[in-house]
Amino acid sequence: EAQVTQNPRYLITVTGKKLTVTCSQNMNHEYMSWYRQDPGLGLRQIYYSMNVEVTDKGDVPEGYKVSRKEKRNFPLILESPSPNQTSLYFCASSLSRRMNTEAFFGQGTRLTVV
Amino acid sequence: DAKTTQPNSMESNEEEPVHLPCNHSTISGTDYIHWYRQLPSQGPEYVIHGLTSNVNNRMASLAIAEDRKSSTLILHRATLRDAAVYYCILRDLPNSGNTPLVFGKGTRLSVIA
């Protein structure tokens, strides 16, 4: 079954404690993204990757890092989480960055930073 | 970025058709019209997309106005499982090569049994 898998689904952590949210897709997709969803602000893109070893900032990249060492995996790293990073995070992948391709989203990771 | 306007909420009876409108008066010639939906506690889910012609798939139909300034997502028979927030999104290819999905507030669809 084609899917995007994120882990963990829920995470509570303390300010400053480094964490990684994993994302894996089994569709051999080139284009992957991370979004955060906040009430009243909708979904906003954090980082994206057009292929292995090619990553770039989205609209709200501050406080986040990503890596793309393999095509299937695109982890989101918070080196020193802060309470304003409390949010619902989604990983997405699509075959390419072309405008006529559909995106597949993970189930989400609800992160709380205290 | 070209913007879309959708009603905040709509209501439908179960097993009746639903027409979800979207206005995009500043659409450019290369913008694709995408629809996604987000069910409670889930990630967004692709529904359908089109450029100029009407499109059908197993989930829905997309009717695009001749001038492309508006479109309508049609669910032929609403079920309780269709209750979700529906997003109309325009997708273009800017010089940066990045094509994020820009989600607005969407339309919250309620389905009544």
Side-chain angles (χ1 to χ4, degrees), chain A residues 43 105, chain B residues 20 34-40 42-48 58-60 73 75 77-89 103 107 109 111:
Chain A
L43 281 96
F105 284 80
Chain B
L20 296 160
H34 286 248
W35 283 82
Y36 282 75
R37 70 180 185 180
Q38 188 171 19
L39 280 65
Q42 294 193 26
E45 174 187 31
Y46 168 82
V47 177
I48 200 166
R58 63 173 180 82
M59 285 182 73
L73 178 71
L75 305 179
R77 285 183 67 212
T79 69
L80 296 177
R81 293 183 66 240
D82 291 321
V85 179
Y86 286 78
Y87 298 97
C88 170
I89 300 167
F103 289 79
T107 297
L109 174 67
V111 180

Side-chain angles (χ1 to χ4, degrees), chain B residues 10-20 37 59-61 73-83 86 109-113:
Chain B
M10 290 184 65
E11 205 172 77
S12 171
N13 293 319
E14 198 176 10
E15 297 192 4
E16 289 189 358
V18 183
H19 290 234
L20 296 160
R37 70 180 185 180
M59 285 182 73
S61 295
L73 178 71
I74 302 164
L75 305 179
H76 296 287
R77 285 183 67 212
T79 69
L80 296 177
R81 293 183 66 240
D82 291 321
Y86 286 78
L109 174 67
S110 302
V111 180
I112 303 166

